[in-house]
Amino acid sequence: MAEFVRVDSSTSSHTMDKSITLPPDEIFRNLENAKRFAIDIGGSLTKLAYYSTVQHKVAKVRSFDHTSKEATNDNLYEISVQEEVTARLHFIKFENAYIETCLDFIKDHLVNTDTKVIKATGGGAHKFKELIERKLGLKVDKEDEMTCLIKGCNFVLRNIPHEAFVFAKHTESEYRFQTTQPDIFPYLLVNIGSGVSIVKVESEDKFERIGGSSIGGGTFWGLGALLTKTKRFDELLQLASKGQHTSVDMLVKDIYGGSYGSLGLTGDLIASSFGKSATADKEFSKEDMAKSLLHMISNDIGQLACLYAKMHNLSRVYFGGFFIRGHPVTMHTITYSINFFTKGEVQALFLRHEGYLGAIGAFLKGAEEDNPNQYSWGENYAGSSGLMSVSPDMNPMQRARSGTFDMLEMDRLERKLVNLPLLQDASSYIPDTVDLIEDAPAREYWLFCFEEALDGVVKRAVASQPDMPEAAERAEKFRQKYRHKLQTLRHQPFAYGSLTVRSLLDTREHCLNEFNFPDPYCKIKQQENDMALKYYQKAVKALDGLSWEQRQYALVRGVLAGNVFDWGAKAVSDVLESDPEFGFEQAKRQLEERPWLIDSYDQWFERLKGPPHKCALFFVDNSGVDIILGVMPFVRELLSRGTEVVLASNSGPALNDVTNGELQILTESIAAMDPVIQSSLEEDRLILVQSGSSSPCLDLSRLDKVLAMVVRERNIDLVIIEGMGRAIHTNYYAMLSCESLKMAVIKNSWLADRLGGKLFSVVFKYEVPITDHLSAALTP
């Protein structure tokens, strides 16, 4: 830990008034490779942004050459761990009191930067210009504050799913996160700083300040200080959270003795802010005055925002700025005001990272030569603080963001991510089946589940790197970090947006990568792939010996049995650990007999009697038995019917899921044994594409752009989604514009019980979209 103490006041007028402690592993990370700095300095908080390159380990697979006489290895492919360099954006927020020491820290740790300029925005950019230039030796280049704000807002809305949320106080889940819209424009941004700016944003570069007000956060702070003698903004809000505004405000019922029905006014509506203070002969508490003031300011801003939204026909209104800063009491009063004035037609939307918008925008202004918008970016949960509640009734350790360092990290993804073109309505698509923020029993169960699985993951991570003696130490650091994340999510489930099984899995993958465990299951996958390949020809021969009707059912049962082999499911991993001989036939016997829990097999069978599909997109799941003995024979049958097939697999490792690199090698090996697969590859009727995902789950709104292009070119008319993560935890309710098959075996007793089934219950869901023509035909 690096402790910074008070700086000698003779050196500068901008000195710290307290000591701070920085964990060097967590604050200002990767500074040695940092370049392109930007800074946004407000009245009390500084937000620093920089770009760096991060070196980390990746697992690569490469085929062995078995044609040479010297070849002695029986394995199909070799695994090598290589170093890879990727781009990362860092955003750090701290109090202005720390700025001088933080600049010293940055200067001392910069190593390889060739940066000459730092982009700056915010009201404090001019005030601290000389200090920044002297400390860092960089020229300060100031950027327009509003331009930076809009650029930052566009960036987070495009790249961070569940960035925006509605705040609903007094409900089970106060934070209700919104699905990211495919088209984010147009929208209204209401930025509440000292005053209020209202901006209409129509495109990336087209926006206009259409209004504003001098009555804003500065008004609340200034009048609040006069009324309560409280000088700190956060303390003023805490007073407001404990107050009763009705003691100070005059209500409709105070004037009329009840509601005023002819005007549609309820009795508890504020008729006059601070109205009682003029006539009541008594002292008012600080808490009550602060609450009244908060309502007065919020109602004024809310009404103004509603009027502009209606004038310009805008339904999306985002609120940000110093006045908001994630304070529940502020968000509640703004939300109440918007709901009242629009009768629910317009929602007040808030942003998880609104405090960083200016810094992000300033950074983007300085990085235009690299065009960051041509890439997709993803939030790195391992290096981000997350949204913390500042509710005064929470534990101070959970509450405090002011006085601590807050971080956001974003990784540049290798490929541009887009919507699956076959989504029936991309704007309403929600990948996750259960929101764990709203479902408290499910949240508690899955958090416990992931905590319980930690020892096994640590063990697997160490075993994947037997030649690295420091692996155990890194694995222990992974354990501590991921456990801390789980504990944070137990107290603040809203910290990283919607909390789901998918986000818990993704957070675990991020933490594993953070400590250089790129593929803990690589050895297991290799062994299982080699073993399953030996049985492929026998499995295909047995299927070819069946009648057509028997074969269709056997193929489906094969996919389901293969899906049992999932190391991410504790019930299965326990079996596989204790019985290494557990095989394909045993898995078939574990399956539930028909009728299955969800059973559309008869409809699917009838469809197979019709014309073949033109092209099927198959999102595959696990390595080994699943892909080789389950999926490939099913794919072979589709190809034999005349259906082209696109196999979509993970771009990067996750649990024992097959990756695109592994699938390429496996398919070539199968082709050498199977003329149907061989000819299909040669004729380009079987193609392999990476999905763009490195998760056991599947978000159809963030897929590789190349895959989306293939979907359009091939006229896909059947989508097959396999596996518990992809077809139950996610996409169970996904509506597609073509036929779809969702197949999975439930390998979790708790989930099975919730769905009304049992362990190894089967979900076989065949869906046909109801077209307008068909809908009309069905109408009585």
Side-chain angles (χ1 to χ4, degrees):
M1 303 282 277
E3 187 175 88
F4 295 149
V5 295
R6 181 187 295 272
V7 180
D8 187 343
S9 60
S10 65
T11 61
S12 169
S13 59
H14 311 298
T15 58
M16 292 173 46
D17 59 1
K18 63 189 81 173
S19 64
I20 59 174
T21 302
L22 295 186
D25 294 340
E26 297 180 13
I27 308 294
F28 300 113
R29 302 189 327 150
N30 305 303
L31 262 177
E32 64 276 9
N33 299 316
K35 54 182 179 178
R36 292 195 193 91
F37 284 87
I39 197 164
D40 174 16
I41 308 175
S44 63
L45 294 175
T46 295
K47 286 78 68 177
L48 181 74
Y50 60 93
Y51 166 102
S52 74
T53 51
V54 183
Q55 195 168 34
H56 59 97
K57 297 186 187 302
V58 293
K60 298 284 188 181
V61 295
R62 188 183 69 180
S63 296
F64 277 115
D65 181 8
H66 292 283
T67 59
S68 65
K69 293 180 180 178
E70 292 79 15
T72 57
N73 199 313
D74 289 334
N75 290 334
L76 179 64
Y77 57 85
E78 65 175 329
I79 306 160
S80 61
V81 176
Q82 302 173 13
E83 295 289 337
E84 189 174 86
V85 175
T86 55
R88 180 172 289 175
L89 301 181
H90 300 260
F91 305 99
I92 302 167
K93 182 164 58 181
F94 51 88
E95 286 185 291
N96 289 351
Y98 301 149
I99 190 168
E100 184 166 353
T101 304
C102 287
L103 292 175
D104 282 335
F105 185 87
I106 293 167
K107 179 182 178 182
D108 292 343
H109 289 78
L110 279 176
V111 179
N112 299 321
T113 187
D114 55 0
T115 299
K116 305 296 182 191
V117 173
I118 180 169
K119 292 287 185 180
T121 188
H126 176 76
K127 177 181 178 182
F128 289 95
K129 178 177 183 291
E130 182 184 338
L131 177 70
I132 296 168
E133 290 184 337
R134 176 163 51 85
K135 290 287 184 182
L136 297 185
L138 302 177
K139 180 181 180 297
V140 172
D141 187 3
K142 288 186 285 185
E143 293 288 345
D144 176 68
E145 190 171 355
M146 194 55 65
T147 301
C148 292
L149 198 66
I150 301 302
K151 273 190 171 293
C153 191
N154 293 342
F155 186 81
V156 296
L157 287 174
R158 277 207 175 96
N159 289 284
I160 304 182
H162 300 136
E163 170 64 25
F165 62 91
V166 171
F167 186 78
K169 196 176 181 182
H170 307 309
T171 61
E172 179 68 29
S173 54
E174 293 184 336
Y175 296 79
R176 296 179 180 174
F177 294 92
Q178 306 296 293
T179 303
T180 302
Q181 300 292 320
D183 186 3
I184 63 174
F185 304 111
Y187 65 84
L188 198 69
L189 178 63
V190 180
N191 192 57
I192 313 170
S194 297
V196 180
S197 288
I198 300 176
V199 185
K200 178 184 178 182
V201 185
E202 297 183 75
S203 68
E204 190 65 48
D205 300 308
K206 186 179 179 183
F207 60 88
E208 177 188 4
R209 186 184 188 277
I210 56 175
S213 172
S214 61
I215 301 173
T219 314
F220 175 68
W221 199 351
L223 284 176
L226 290 173
L227 289 167
T228 68
K229 310 304 179 188
T230 301
K231 296 296 185 182
R232 289 183 62 85
F233 187 85
D234 287 357
E235 289 176 12
L236 189 60
L237 278 173
Q238 287 186 34
L239 285 174
S241 70
K242 299 171 184 175
Q244 293 291 330
H245 76 97
T246 54
S247 301
V248 184
D249 293 338
M250 187 174 290
L251 307 182
V252 169
K253 65 184 177 184
D254 295 324
I255 299 175
Y256 299 105
S259 60
Y260 202 118
S262 63
L263 294 179
L265 302 176
T266 60
D268 58 359
L269 191 67
I270 298 173
S272 174
S273 295
F274 288 92
K276 289 180 181 176
S277 62
T279 57
D281 187 19
K282 67 172 184 176
E283 291 290 322
F284 296 96
S285 72
K286 292 180 179 181
E287 289 82 0
D288 293 347
M289 289 190 291
K291 187 62 170 283
S292 176
L293 182 61
L294 181 65
H295 275 293
M296 185 181 80
I297 303 293
S298 298
N299 286 337
D300 184 66
I301 294 170
Q303 185 169 28
L304 203 58
C306 290
L307 289 171
Y308 278 106
K310 287 187 174 182
M311 279 174 59
H312 294 269
N313 197 28
L314 297 172
S315 59
R316 277 177 280 187
V317 183
Y318 298 104
F319 289 85
F322 181 83
F323 185 67
I324 304 293
R325 274 181 52 209
H327 286 280
V329 64
T330 311
M331 293 189 294
H332 173 62
T333 53
I334 288 284
T335 299
Y336 180 88
S337 174
I338 292 291
N339 288 342
F340 175 80
F341 289 116
T342 70
K343 295 181 170 58
E345 291 178 7
V346 174
Q347 285 186 321
L349 294 164
F350 305 96
L351 301 170
R352 280 204 294 138
H353 300 104
E354 65 88 15
Y356 293 111
L357 301 186
I360 292 172
F363 171 82
L364 293 173
K365 289 287 286 183
E368 287 174 340
E369 63 195 68
D370 289 341
N371 191 10
N373 282 321
Q374 72 180 331
Y375 303 100
S376 287
W377 299 78
E379 182 176 4
N380 177 12
Y381 297 137
S384 297
S385 305
L387 177 68
M388 301 295 177
S389 173
V390 286
S391 174
D393 56 356
M394 292 192 74
N395 183 297
M397 289 299 291
Q398 299 168 14
R399 181 183 74 237
R401 298 315 305 158
S402 177
T404 64
F405 283 68
D406 189 280
M407 292 156 293
L408 165 65
E409 288 185 2
M410 298 184 70
D411 290 323
R412 191 175 79 188
L413 308 179
E414 291 182 24
R415 43 199 52 82
K416 188 80 172 177
L417 301 183
V418 298
N419 282 304
L420 176 70
L422 296 168
L423 284 172
Q424 208 168 74
D425 180 9
S427 64
S428 63
Y429 167 70
I430 299 173
D432 304 289
T433 306
V434 178
D435 185 342
L436 301 182
I437 296 179
E438 294 188 358
D439 193 331
R443 177 172 73 243
E444 189 54 41
Y445 171 77
W446 286 111
L447 287 171
F448 169 78
C449 227
F450 278 88
E451 283 180 346
E452 191 182 37
L454 248 180
D455 287 344
V457 178
V458 168
K459 176 184 172 184
R460 192 62 55 197
V462 175
S464 71
Q465 299 179 359
D467 301 327
M468 299 184 182
E470 84 291 352
E473 182 182 348
R474 283 187 285 113
E476 187 54 37
K477 287 182 178 179
F478 153 74
R479 182 207 303 273
Q480 292 171 10
K481 173 154 251 183
Y482 188 57
R483 179 175 284 143
H484 175 70
K485 294 288 180 186
L486 293 175
Q487 289 168 349
T488 297
L489 291 168
R490 178 167 272 113
H491 295 293
Q492 293 150 334
F494 49 81
Y496 296 101
S498 286
L499 181 62
T500 62
V501 173
R502 175 171 61 101
S503 68
L504 289 171
L505 285 163
D506 290 350
T507 303
R508 189 168 70 183
E509 294 298 324
H510 290 181
C511 291
L512 282 166
N513 286 322
E514 189 72 23
F515 295 102
N516 277 322
F517 292 107
D519 194 357
Y521 290 83
C522 57
K523 303 290 185 185
I524 286 177
K525 288 191 290 182
Q526 184 183 40
Q527 293 165 8
E528 293 187 347
N529 285 331
D530 290 336
M531 184 65 67
L533 280 170
K534 295 174 182 176
Y535 293 97
Y536 177 79
Q537 286 177 300
K538 181 181 177 182
V540 167
K541 186 177 179 181
L543 288 165
D544 287 344
L546 299 173
S547 68
W548 182 83
E549 182 173 340
Q550 291 172 328
R551 188 165 66 251
Q552 305 317 307
Y553 182 57
L555 285 165
V556 167
R557 287 192 77 240
V559 173
L560 294 168
N563 193 242
V564 168
F565 291 81
D566 183 353
W567 282 86
K570 190 174 186 302
V572 175
S573 62
D574 287 347
V575 172
L576 297 176
E577 289 274 15
S578 60
D579 182 10
E581 300 301 316
F582 183 83
F584 194 38
E585 295 305 317
Q586 290 95 317
K588 287 180 184 176
R589 290 194 288 272
Q590 295 277 9
L591 293 178
E592 173 187 37
E593 293 296 327
R594 290 193 68 200
W596 295 323
L597 182 63
I598 305 294
D599 195 335
S600 304
Y601 178 76
D602 291 340
Q603 293 92 319
W604 169 247
F605 181 72
E606 287 302 314
R607 173 61 184 86
L608 290 176
K609 294 177 182 177
H613 297 88
K614 179 175 179 15
C615 188
L617 169 61
F618 200 135
F619 288 98
V620 299
D621 194 10
N622 306 305
S623 289
V625 172
D626 191 348
I627 184 68
I628 296 166
L629 301 183
V631 170
M632 277 303 188
F634 191 95
V635 167
R636 184 179 184 269
E637 183 77 8
L638 289 174
L639 292 166
S640 299
R641 280 172 55 83
T643 301
E644 296 177 356
V645 178
V646 178
L647 289 181
S649 53
N650 270 9
S651 300
L655 294 173
N656 65 313
D657 292 357
V658 66
T659 64
N660 186 256
E662 292 159 353
L663 187 55
Q664 298 278 353
I665 296 170
L666 295 176
T667 306
E668 289 172 9
S669 183
I670 290 171
M673 299 184 272
D674 189 335
V676 175
I677 301 297
Q678 180 71 51
S679 62
S680 298
L681 285 172
E682 291 172 353
E683 295 164 10
D684 199 32
R685 294 193 305 112
L686 173 61
I687 62 171
L688 280 56
V689 184
Q690 51 190 319
S691 66
S693 172
S694 297
S695 169
C697 296
L698 181 65
D699 182 350
L700 296 176
S701 68
R702 285 174 70 82
L703 295 178
D704 190 344
K705 190 176 183 179
V706 174
L707 173 57
M709 184 177 67
V710 169
V711 167
R712 290 191 181 94
E713 290 174 350
R714 297 272 171 160
N715 296 318
I716 301 288
D717 55 356
L718 172 65
V719 173
I720 304 171
I721 305 176
E722 178 214 7
M724 201 164 77
R726 290 167 176 79
I728 295 181
H729 290 315
T730 53
N731 300 303
Y732 187 75
Y733 297 116
M735 302 297 291
L736 303 178
S737 58
C738 69
E739 295 174 50
S740 64
L741 261 184
K742 298 168 186 175
M743 295 186 278
V745 176
I746 302 174
K747 294 151 287 193
N748 177 282
S749 298
W750 181 89
L751 181 60
D753 185 62
R754 255 215 165 189
L755 295 174
K758 57 187 178 181
L759 200 62
F760 301 115
S761 284
V762 168
V763 170
F764 187 89
K765 197 176 186 187
Y766 170 58
E767 296 174 306
V768 180
I770 299 179
T771 62
D772 291 340
H773 174 74
L774 181 58
S775 179
L778 294 174
T779 303

